[in-house]
């Protein structure tokens, strides 16, 4: 029986599962209330599903693995050090990169700066916008700096027109701002729908791999902070980058969530200025700027983001509760982890925290979930509860177990080197991490085996 022209189908916004009727739970990804209704296409064949030839109209032939040639110089440097770090050393030709983040966080500004660096280096770049006019892009470009003639601008949302333009120009890099505004006439759904987003991403994926063009696409985010549309969008691209941070604050964090060509543990730190996004070469010094002196409840801990150690100030405020149920609040770290650490202090150390309000904050608005900051949270809570100040030049890191033991963490040597560089004189760390440490001159290292040993220091 032929499909009706006006028939509707239901798509899962998480995984793209298709159903003829609405269901509360998706059979594919088991997510609840994710189905949206869309009108089924009655038009021609899908561009991404019925292609029998390569991107240039020629049949794709299989190749032997031993015959595939590659060199270390394949990556294109953007000359933005923080971005190159997150990408794994530069842009890989033929890669498809998704950039997501809250509105106004700086996605378009960063990509326009990337275009500036690439075209100044001799690369031809095509910037395609479906949300802004040419004059609006020009205003932002004048704020960033000078541009040459290698940057071409196009305001278009039709996929067929965009494909034709890319085939004619054959640029080395393309920026799509944004994927939710692109539409294909072969899909009857509205722009931004699950069908259109999936279709557009499939088209750009074929262009990137077939023409060996590096493509950046901007993705809108939902109120939960994830890219709008099906999660299959993130599976189709090679790299997923997220912009984090409060848009009212001065700094931004670029985090790699997925990267087929490098590590997903690296982060890039930027500062928003009038002329655009500027790199923060030393994030630790930037995060500790403005730290209060001679204040209890303030402890500096160290977290590893990929190969980069970052020192962060942990603040805690513990006070008696005026109500029957004490209030607990955590900003920048896992709320349940803070409750667990407070339970360890009450059971293993004997601190009566069950009747106290507790507030834990990671200064600067950064979000860290690494277990290595456990000991720093514990020391900050105890310092506030006992009104005892922790030495301003003391660094603390280590994972805390349920038995009150301090467990080892990775890359202790790099953390110590970062502490020495910023002038810290004492470091409290797990005793098991002290084995094999070298070049500890200039800093006093104290190894602790339990939470009680660390508390005894203050």
């Amino acid at each position: 029986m032929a499909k009706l022209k006006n028939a509707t189908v239901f798509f899962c916004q998480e995984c793209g599962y298709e159903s003829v009727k609405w269901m509360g739970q998706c059979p594919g990804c088991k997510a609840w209330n994710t189905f949206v209704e869309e009108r089924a296409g009655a038009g021609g064949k899908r561009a991404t599903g019925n292609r029998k030839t390569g991107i240039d109209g020629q049949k794709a032939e299989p190749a032997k693995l031993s015959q595939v040639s590659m060199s270390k110089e394949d990556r294109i440097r953007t000359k933005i050090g923080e971005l190159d770090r997150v990408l794994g050393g530069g842009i890989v030709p033929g890669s498809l990169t998704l950039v997501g983040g809250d509105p106004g966080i700086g996605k378009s500004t960063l990509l326009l700066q990337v275009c500036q660096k690439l075209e100044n280096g001799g690369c031809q770049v095509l910037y395609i916008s479906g949300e802004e006019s040419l004059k609006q892009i020009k205003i932002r470009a004048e704020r960033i700096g000078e541009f040459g003639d290698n940057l071409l601008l196009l305001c278009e949302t039709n996929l067929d027109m965009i494909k034709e333009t890319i085939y004619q120009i054959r640029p080395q890099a393309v920026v799509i701002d944004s994927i939710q505004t692109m539409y294909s006439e072969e899909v009857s759904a509205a722009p931004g729908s699950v069908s259109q987003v999936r279709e557009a991403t499939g088209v750009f994926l074929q262009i990137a791999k077939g023409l060996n063009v590096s493509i950046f696409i901007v993705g809108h985010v939902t109120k939960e902070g994830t890219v709008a549309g099906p999660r299959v969008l993130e599976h189709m691209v090679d790299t997923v980058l997220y912009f984090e941070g409060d848009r009212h604050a001065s700094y931004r964090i670029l985090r790699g969530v997925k990267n087929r060509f490098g590590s997903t543990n690296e982060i890039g730190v930027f500062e928003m200025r009038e002329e655009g996004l500027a790199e923060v070469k030393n994030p630790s010094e930037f995060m500790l700027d403005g730290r209060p002196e001679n204040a209890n409840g303030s402890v500096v801990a160290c977290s590893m983001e990929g190969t980069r150690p970052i020192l962060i100030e942990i603040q805690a405020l513990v006070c008696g509760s005026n109500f029957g149920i004490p209030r607990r609040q955590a900003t920048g770290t896992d709320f349940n982890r803070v409750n667990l650490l407070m339970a360890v202090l009450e059971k293993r150390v004997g601190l009566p925290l069950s009747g106290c309000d507790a507030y834990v904050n990671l200064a600067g608005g950064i979000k860290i979930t690494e277990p290595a900051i456990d000991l720093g949270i514990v020391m900050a809570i105890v310092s506030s509860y006992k009104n005892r100040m922790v030495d301003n030049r003391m660094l603390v890191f280590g994972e805390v177990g349920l038995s009150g033991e301090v467990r080892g963490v990775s890359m202790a040597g790099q953390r110590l080197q970062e502490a020495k560089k910023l002038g810290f004189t004492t470091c409290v760390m797990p005793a098991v991490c002290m084995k094999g440490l070298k070049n500890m001159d200039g800093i006093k290292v104290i190894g602790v085996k339990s939470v009680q040993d660390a508390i005894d220091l203050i």
Side-chain angles (χ1 to χ4, degrees), residues 3-5 7 9 38-44 46 186-189 195:
K3 185 180 290 186
L4 297 177
K5 288 186 177 182
V9 293
E38 294 183 8
R39 192 172 301 278
R46 302 264 316 241
E186 297 178 351
V187 179
S188 60
S195 301

Side-chain angles (χ1 to χ4, degrees), residues 17-189:
Y17 184 89
E18 181 179 348
S19 173
V20 296
K21 64 178 182 179
W22 184 89
M23 290 183 287
Q25 186 183 33
C26 174
C29 62
K30 307 302 180 183
W32 287 91
N33 300 323
T34 57
F35 275 89
V36 292
E37 183 180 7
E38 294 183 8
R39 192 172 301 278
K45 298 180 181 180
R46 302 264 316 241
T48 58
N50 295 280
R51 187 183 295 274
K52 297 181 180 180
T53 58
I55 196 72
D56 290 322
Q58 301 178 357
K59 184 179 179 181
E61 297 291 343
K64 296 181 180 180
L65 180 62
S66 58
Q67 296 177 347
V68 178
S69 60
M70 60 178 297
S71 61
K72 294 183 179 179
E73 289 75 24
D74 280 344
R75 292 181 182 267
I76 304 174
R77 296 280 182 175
T78 64
K79 298 182 181 179
I80 302 177
E82 295 297 303
L83 178 60
D84 288 337
R85 172 193 289 269
V86 178
L87 291 175
I91 303 174
V92 176
S95 62
L96 184 62
T97 303
L98 173 64
V99 182
D102 295 333
I105 202 72
K107 303 183 295 296
S108 301
T109 301
L110 176 65
L111 292 179
L112 198 56
Q113 289 182 238
V114 172
C115 294
Q116 181 192 35
K117 299 294 184 182
L118 292 178
E119 68 98 14
N120 287 339
C123 298
Q124 190 170 35
V125 185
L126 177 61
Y127 189 99
I128 303 173
S129 177
E131 299 177 342
E132 296 177 312
S133 65
L134 295 177
K135 291 183 179 179
Q136 290 175 311
I137 301 174
K138 177 67 174 180
I139 293 174
R140 182 187 295 114
E142 288 181 346
R143 191 179 76 246
I144 292 175
E146 296 184 0
F147 286 78
D149 295 331
N150 288 327
L151 175 61
L152 303 178
L153 302 180
L154 175 66
C155 294
E156 183 60 65
T157 57
N158 191 313
L159 277 177
D160 294 332
M161 299 293 294
I162 293 174
K163 286 193 295 183
E164 184 179 348
T165 303
I166 295 177
Y167 294 158
Q168 292 176 354
I169 299 176
R170 298 294 178 102
Q172 293 176 274
V174 177
V175 175
I176 308 295
D177 188 8
S178 67
I179 191 66
Q180 274 81 12
T181 61
M182 304 297 153
Y183 74 94
S184 173
E185 295 179 350
E186 297 178 351
V187 179
S188 60

Side-chain angles (χ1 to χ4, degrees), residues 263-340:
S263 172
T264 57
N265 296 322
E266 299 289 351
I267 67 169
V269 184
F270 297 88
E271 183 182 4
M272 179 61 77
R273 297 178 181 174
E274 184 178 356
E275 64 274 12
L277 290 165
E279 301 177 63
V280 177
K281 300 294 185 180
N282 193 337
S284 298
E285 186 177 1
F286 184 79
M287 296 295 178
L288 296 179
D289 190 23
R291 182 187 173 208
E293 296 184 3
N294 302 325
N296 59 66
S298 174
V299 175
V300 177
C302 185
S303 174
M304 293 296 299
E305 295 290 345
T307 58
R308 164 185 283 173
I310 294 182
L311 304 189
I312 185 72
E313 180 191 358
I314 300 176
Q315 298 176 336
L317 179 62
V318 180
C319 56
S321 177
N322 295 324
F323 303 97
I325 302 177
R327 183 177 180 181
R328 308 287 168 80
Q329 184 173 332
T331 304
T333 187
D334 186 16
F335 170 77
N336 294 322
R337 189 68 179 177
V338 173
N339 284 335
L340 183 147

Side-chain angles (χ1 to χ4, degrees), residues 391-405:
D391 187 3
N392 286 333
R393 291 300 172 184
M394 176 184 288
L395 177 70
V396 179
F397 64 87
E399 181 182 355
V400 176
L402 294 181
S403 299
E405 79 278 13

Side-chain angles (χ1 to χ4, degrees), residues 203-455:
V203 169
F204 290 128
L205 178 63
Q206 288 185 342
I207 294 175
K209 304 305 178 184
L211 298 182
N212 202 31
V213 177
S214 302
I215 300 180
F216 289 85
I217 59 177
V218 176
H220 293 168
V221 296
T222 62
K223 60 183 179 180
E224 289 82 15
T226 58
V227 175
R231 290 301 296 271
V232 70
L233 175 63
E234 298 187 6
H235 295 299
M236 295 172 69
V237 301
D238 298 314
T239 307
V240 180
L241 306 179
Y242 273 103
F243 250 135
E244 300 177 359
D246 186 358
R247 65 175 181 174
H248 301 293
S250 62
Y251 78 93
R252 306 286 190 268
I253 294 177
L254 184 65
R255 189 183 302 273
V257 179
K258 172 188 176 182
N259 192 353
R260 288 176 177 160
F261 311 112
S263 172
T264 57
N265 296 322
E266 299 289 351
I267 67 169
V269 184
F270 297 88
E271 183 182 4
M272 179 61 77
R273 297 178 181 174
E274 184 178 356
E275 64 274 12
L277 290 165
E279 301 177 63
V280 177
K281 300 294 185 180
N282 193 337
S284 298
E285 186 177 1
F286 184 79
M287 296 295 178
L288 296 179
D289 190 23
R291 182 187 173 208
E293 296 184 3
N294 302 325
N296 59 66
S298 174
V299 175
V300 177
C302 185
S303 174
M304 293 296 299
E305 295 290 345
T307 58
R308 164 185 283 173
I310 294 182
L311 304 189
I312 185 72
E313 180 191 358
I314 300 176
Q315 298 176 336
L317 179 62
V318 180
C319 56
S321 177
N322 295 324
F323 303 97
I325 302 177
R327 183 177 180 181
R328 308 287 168 80
Q329 184 173 332
T331 304
T333 187
D334 186 16
F335 170 77
N336 294 322
R337 189 68 179 177
V338 173
N339 284 335
L340 183 147
L341 295 175
M342 293 185 68
V344 170
L345 286 175
E346 188 153 3
K347 179 70 174 179
R348 304 300 179 186
V349 183
L351 292 182
L353 299 174
S354 58
C356 297
D357 293 339
Y359 307 89
V360 176
N361 174 49
L362 268 60
I366 192 171
K367 296 180 181 179
I368 294 179
T369 57
E370 189 193 13
I373 67 172
D374 286 354
L375 190 57
I377 296 175
V378 167
M379 294 284 278
I381 292 175
V382 175
S383 172
S384 178
Y385 178 79
K386 291 183 173 292
N387 289 324
R388 299 286 182 87
M389 186 191 71
V390 178
D391 187 3
N392 286 333
R393 291 300 172 184
M394 176 184 288
L395 177 70
V396 179
F397 64 87
E399 181 182 355
V400 176
L402 294 181
S403 299
E405 79 278 13
V406 178
R407 308 177 72 90
V409 296
S410 61
M411 301 184 183
Q414 288 89 326
R415 300 175 201 254
L416 275 178
Q417 293 299 324
E418 183 72 10
K420 289 174 59 178
K421 186 170 65 175
L422 292 180
F424 285 82
T425 59
T426 308
C427 180
V428 179
M429 59 185 295
V432 295
C433 294
M434 297 184 63
K435 300 177 182 178
L437 283 180
K438 299 179 180 179
N439 195 16
M440 294 187 295
D441 298 335
I443 185 170
K444 180 182 179 182
V445 180
I446 303 176
V448 293
K449 295 182 178 180
S450 65
V451 172
Q452 186 64 58
D453 295 341
I455 294 176

